[in-house]
Amino acid sequence: MGGTFDPIHNGHLRTALEIREWLGVEKVWLMPSKRPVHRDLPGSTSSDRLAMVQCAVEDEPRLACDPREVMSDQPSYTIFTLEALRQELGTQMPVCMIMGMDAFLSLDQWLRYEEYLTFCHILVVARPGYDFEPNATLTGLLKKHQVTSPETIWQRPNGSIIVHQLTPLSISATQIRAIRAQGLSTRYLVPDSVCQYIQEHKLYS
Ligand code: ATP
């Protein structure tokens, strides 16, 4: 599950945990991007964003942080990460990329997105505030690749799209940055360890 995580919040964490249980996998890996190519520059540095993801998962063995994009010299293009993962994992292991509805709705603007499904499955998570109204290109992609059962994901290494509804949590990093900018508390929107990191490093204030 990739993201800017500026900062990571309970919407991300709850989503990752519920997906893990729904798919029946051992771990979900959170992968902060170094420098996002599809959006404005983040409000904190990539090392702060990575540190906050690491704080958020340190007491949760079912979630983990993959630092490869932050550590890489390349810009954060998902296709490069997918290529690297396939090289490490081989061609047969199923790989599933998790993304929120907002991210999926702009997927056709991402570099070489047409190739993604030759590397992985895509799991799209419904997100409050975003209606599922894909454009014609994405509708075509869904017609060809959408499945409904999570078991399908494990029958093949790649090639399926699955759209799934979880507990809706209307939390966003934008909202957290705005709360901090007003000098208010972000407690219960982010894990306490992240709250503490934000305060100690005076982020977003
Ligand atoms: P911002 O408000 O700065 O745009 P964000 O809260 O959307 O940030 P990102 O780091 O951009 O956070 O999100 C990473 C991934 O998590 C994206 O695929 C996004 O759609 C998904 N996501 C973020 N918040 C939620 C949420 N509350 N519920 C489900 N998915 C979410």
Side-chain angles (χ1 to χ4, degrees):
M1 178 175 173
T4 316
F5 300 124
D6 189 23
I8 189 157
H9 54 67
N10 289 343
H12 299 128
L13 293 162
R14 183 69 209 165
T15 295
L17 197 62
E18 287 192 22
I19 290 284
R20 178 204 166 263
E21 284 164 355
W22 188 63
L23 288 180
V25 294
E26 192 190 334
K27 266 183 208 283
V28 170
W29 292 83
L30 299 160
M31 196 181 290
S33 60
K34 182 176 187 140
R35 185 189 158 123
V37 277
H38 300 285
R39 44 175 291 162
D40 294 340
L41 282 180
S44 59
T45 64
S46 52
S47 59
D48 279 330
R49 291 183 295 106
L50 172 61
M52 288 189 279
V53 175
Q54 285 168 334
C55 281
V57 299
E58 70 189 351
D59 291 334
E60 178 46 81
R62 293 166 291 188
L63 304 180
C65 173
D66 185 331
R68 73 179 66 222
E69 289 192 355
V70 170
M71 299 302 187
S72 163
D73 295 334
Q74 291 181 314
S76 289
Y77 284 106
T78 300
I79 191 72
F80 300 159
T81 305
L82 291 173
E83 285 170 340
L85 281 172
R86 267 292 161 229
Q87 276 196 349
E88 275 169 40
L89 301 173
T91 55
Q92 293 312 304
M93 181 181 285
V95 171
C96 188
M97 173 163 68
I98 304 167
M99 56 168 64
M101 187 75 83
D102 54 318
F104 179 75
L105 291 176
S106 67
L107 187 74
D108 55 331
Q109 292 160 39
W110 296 23
L111 182 74
R112 292 167 53 196
Y113 78 95
E114 314 88 330
E115 294 173 49
Y116 284 13
L117 290 167
T118 63
F119 289 96
C120 66
H121 301 289
I122 298 177
L123 199 164
V124 183
V125 180
R127 189 174 172 186
Y130 293 90
D131 293 331
F132 195 42
E133 288 172 357
N135 63 23
T137 309
L138 294 173
T139 302
L141 200 69
L142 284 162
K143 267 199 185 130
K144 210 165 152 199
H145 297 280
Q146 189 169 7
V147 298
T148 49
S149 136
E151 285 77 41
T152 318
I153 296 269
W154 306 123
Q155 288 160 6
R156 307 195 279 161
N158 57 284
S160 305
I161 303 178
I162 194 157
V163 181
H164 187 50
Q165 172 83 55
L166 304 159
T167 306
L169 282 177
S170 182
I171 305 174
S172 71
T174 303
Q175 170 198 15
I176 288 158
R177 294 194 299 274
I179 288 173
R180 272 292 289 172
Q182 294 172 68
L184 303 174
S185 172
T186 57
R187 192 153 190 220
Y188 308 127
L189 293 172
V190 301
D192 280 349
S193 57
V194 173
C195 219
Q196 203 178 334
Y197 188 98
I198 289 174
Q199 275 167 7
E200 277 173 16
H201 293 80
K202 301 188 171 49
L203 301 182
Y204 315 118
S205 54

